[in-house]
Structures are given as structure tokens and as C-alpha cells.
Amino acid sequence: MRTPDPRITLVIPVLNEARNLEVVLPALPPVHQIIVVDGNSADDSVAVARRFLPEADVLTQTRRGKGNALACGFERVTGDIVIMVDADGSAAPEEIPAFVETLVAGADFAKGTRFTAGGGSDDITLLRRAGNAVLSGLTNLLLRTRFTDLCYGYNAFWADVVPSLGLPEPAGTEPRWGDGFEVETLINCRVALAGLKIAEVPSFERDRIYGTSNLDTFRDGLRVLRVIFRETARSRRKRRRGEAAVSGVDRVVRP
């Protein structure tokens, strides 16, 4: 339900992030629901989540990969707004109100961006920055969007948008396309293809607190590239059928 006073659900995919969760979870603001989706961690991630947030909905994903974790979490959402939050400490919890305000002001999807006024990053490398610029530019060219930061996962949207994402069903154990890190690009493309109103929100990405990222720059970059071409083909099929037009992207500048 879309309301001026929405209930907020945070969905947090987790894989071996116990030390980070000890810092991240206590810093989260009080919200309607927090869903922690564990990817069969080998550390104490689940125990830490239950200790620091006993009221959280803690579950184990059905397959592997961030996409599957998000799909499992989205199934359990009871709030009006869903916010995707990484467990490594890179997402600033104080930015949550800006995402919520953007949605309440009329957007369907609030897209975090590091590459506009008010945004930035302590974490991104030159290689990843260049790759993101190329992939964002290609997506904008092929899908007629105006994304400034395609590969950033700090995003928020109204819960009624979930069906438009078309993520793989959580049921089943066989790997499926969309289960991995490509999910963030897949979500961005699907929201655009659905003709929904997208607004970019400046966001500052912090350094990971502990450990190393599960992201593989080249492998996951190729998966993102595959998403772009697959969704371009999907867009052309939809246009031939006269279905929803591709969305533009509005800019939201934080004062």
C-alpha cells in the first residue's frame, strides 16, 4: 500500500559477514521489518544476526548467489517499501530517509548513485569505475535509459513493484539465471522496461568494514554484460508487441 507514512522493510543478503553484522545491525534505524537472508555462511553470521536483532526475520536462502538471497527476502516482505542493504557496512543507514522521501514524493524506484552531486565512494577501484561507466553507457544506449550508476545495489522501491522485477522463483535447488551478482543490473533493467518512474538518489559508498568482497570484477562484469544484451532483446520484443515503454531516470539532488 502506498501511503505518506510507509512501513519500511530492509532486506539484507549475508554471506560470511559476522564481524560486519556486529557493526551494521546496531546502526540500523528502527523500521517495520528487517529480513536477514543467509547464504549458508561458514561463520557465525546467523547467530550474530539473532543476537543483535532478535526481532529480525532470519532465513536461509534456497540456492546460492545474491539474486537468490534477494528473491527469498522479497517473498517475506510485509512492509510498504523495500530497501536493499548490503551487510558489509558500505551502505550508510542515515541515507535511508532520502530513499523513502524520494518514493513518497512519487517515484516507483529510488536508485542509489555514487556518480552524481552528493554521491561518492571510498571503495570503488579505477577498474570498477571504468567498467561501470562502460556498462552504464551501453545500457543507456540500448535501453534508452539515463542511469549514472548501473552497478550499485543500494536501492529502494514500493513493495508492489516486486512482481515487475521477474526474479527467479526461490523454490528449487537448481541454479537459475538471475541468482548471482547480475541481479542488481537485472532489477534496474526490468524496472525501466516496466515503464516505472525511476529517481536517482545520491549515495556515498563506504569501505567494507572487514573481510573481502565476494564480487569478482571480470566474471561478474561479464554476467552484467549478458544481462544488458538479454534485456535489450526483451525490450525489443516488448516494443514490437506495443507493451510498456522504457522509463527515463529522474535526478534527485540532496541539499
Side-chain angles (χ1 to χ4, degrees):
M1 179 177 178
R2 299 197 177 187
T3 168
D5 186 24
R7 299 169 301 166
I8 310 302
T9 294
L10 308 181
V11 178
I12 309 174
V14 170
L15 179 61
N16 300 322
E17 300 284 9
R19 295 183 69 194
N20 290 322
L21 290 176
E22 292 178 351
V23 180
V24 171
L25 297 183
L28 295 175
V31 293
H32 166 73
Q33 181 186 29
I34 296 176
I35 302 174
V36 177
V37 189
D38 182 64
N40 292 289
S41 295
D43 66 4
D44 294 330
S45 290
V46 169
V48 168
R50 288 178 172 151
R51 183 167 77 250
F52 280 85
L53 276 182
E55 71 277 16
D57 191 353
V58 181
L59 58 141
T60 301
Q61 65 184 92
T62 54
R63 297 187 292 274
R64 297 180 60 185
K66 185 174 186 178
N68 175 247
L70 289 173
C72 290
F74 294 164
E75 271 202 335
R76 301 282 281 269
V77 168
T78 60
D80 305 306
I81 283 176
V82 184
I83 304 181
M84 300 158 50
V85 180
D86 284 342
D88 58 8
S90 60
E94 60 269 23
E95 293 179 354
I96 288 174
F99 285 93
V100 174
E101 289 166 10
T102 299
L103 295 173
V104 170
D108 299 304
F109 189 88
K111 171 87 183 74
T113 175
R114 297 162 290 184
F115 305 128
T116 192
S121 176
D122 283 332
D123 181 64
I124 195 166
T125 64
L126 288 175
L127 178 61
R128 286 173 50 212
R129 182 186 292 269
N132 192 15
V134 170
L135 294 169
S136 297
L138 183 62
T139 301
N140 292 338
L141 176 66
L142 295 177
L143 292 184
R144 296 182 295 173
T145 53
R146 297 193 301 276
F147 291 123
T148 63
D149 193 355
L150 180 70
C151 305
Y152 189 45
Y154 199 3
N155 303 315
F157 47 90
W158 290 100
D160 59 26
V161 168
V162 171
S164 299
L165 306 182
L167 298 186
E169 289 292 330
T173 57
E174 290 297 316
R176 299 184 59 183
W177 176 247
D179 278 352
F181 271 108
E182 72 275 4
V183 68
E184 290 160 358
T185 300
L186 185 65
I187 286 174
N188 295 332
C189 292
R190 292 280 170 86
V191 169
L193 285 171
L196 299 177
K197 182 176 177 59
I198 303 167
E200 289 194 329
V201 179
S203 177
F204 195 93
E205 180 186 35
R206 298 169 173 173
D207 277 325
R208 160 181 279 273
I209 303 170
Y210 298 111
T212 57
S213 173
N214 296 307
L215 177 72
D216 183 296
T217 301
F218 292 101
R219 180 197 64 202
D220 293 314
L222 289 174
R223 292 177 74 88
V224 168
L225 191 61
R226 186 179 173 194
V227 169
I228 295 168
F229 286 124
R230 285 178 63 139
E231 294 305 303
T232 297
R234 183 171 179 265
S235 171
R236 289 170 178 166
R237 290 194 299 270
K238 287 174 74 70
R239 286 204 297 271
R240 283 199 296 269
R241 294 196 298 263
E243 297 180 14
V246 173
S247 170
V249 179
D250 293 332
R251 304 281 183 264
V252 175
V253 180
R254 184 177 303 130

